[in-house]
Amino acid sequence: MVDITIKITDRDGVTHEVLAPTDMAMNLMEVVRSYELAPEGTIGVCGGMAMCASCQCYVKSDHELPEMSDDEDLMLAEAFYVEDNSRLGCQIQMNPELDGLEVELAPES
């Protein structure tokens, strides 16, 4: 089992350093939910299907992420508070290469 450390800044501006397993097929949105870093019902509303943008986050570190899917790109095109570094947390799978990842949760829309 390999855990990675990621830093997540919640919507109140508080940064949390958390451990995320890489062997459970979890994505960033699920990690946020498991640590209860956003109020229940405000993140992952669509269940991680890239259909709601409630898990939008800003990637603050320079990690290389997988290319954005068409579904993710289309969802972000309709979302609020989108920045150049916006991604959907449900589309970022935890893997060893993401050790040290730093993200900030986008404001609730």
Side-chain angles (χ1 to χ4, degrees), residues 35-98:
Y35 281 96
E36 298 178 347
L37 301 181
E40 192 170 336
T42 65
I43 191 160
V45 176
C46 73
M49 304 297 292
M51 296 176 67
C52 74
S54 65
C55 64
Q56 180 190 174
C57 62
Y58 308 122
V59 178
K60 300 292 193 174
S61 55
D62 60 0
H63 286 77
E64 182 128 354
L65 296 176
E67 191 172 331
M68 195 179 297
S69 69
D70 289 341
D71 288 342
E72 181 179 8
D73 193 27
L74 288 170
M75 190 67 253
L76 285 171
E78 297 178 16
F80 296 102
Y81 312 112
V82 175
E83 303 289 340
D84 290 341
N85 59 342
S86 288
R87 293 294 300 261
L88 297 181
C90 67
Q91 301 300 297
I92 301 174
Q93 293 295 319
M94 296 295 96
N95 65 59
E97 290 77 35
L98 294 183

Side-chain angles (χ1 to χ4, degrees), residues 19-38:
L19 291 176
T22 60
D23 62 345
M24 295 177 62
M26 288 182 81
N27 60 48
L28 180 61
M29 179 266 300
E30 293 167 328
V31 172
V32 171
R33 288 172 73 171
S34 70
Y35 281 96
E36 298 178 347
L37 301 181

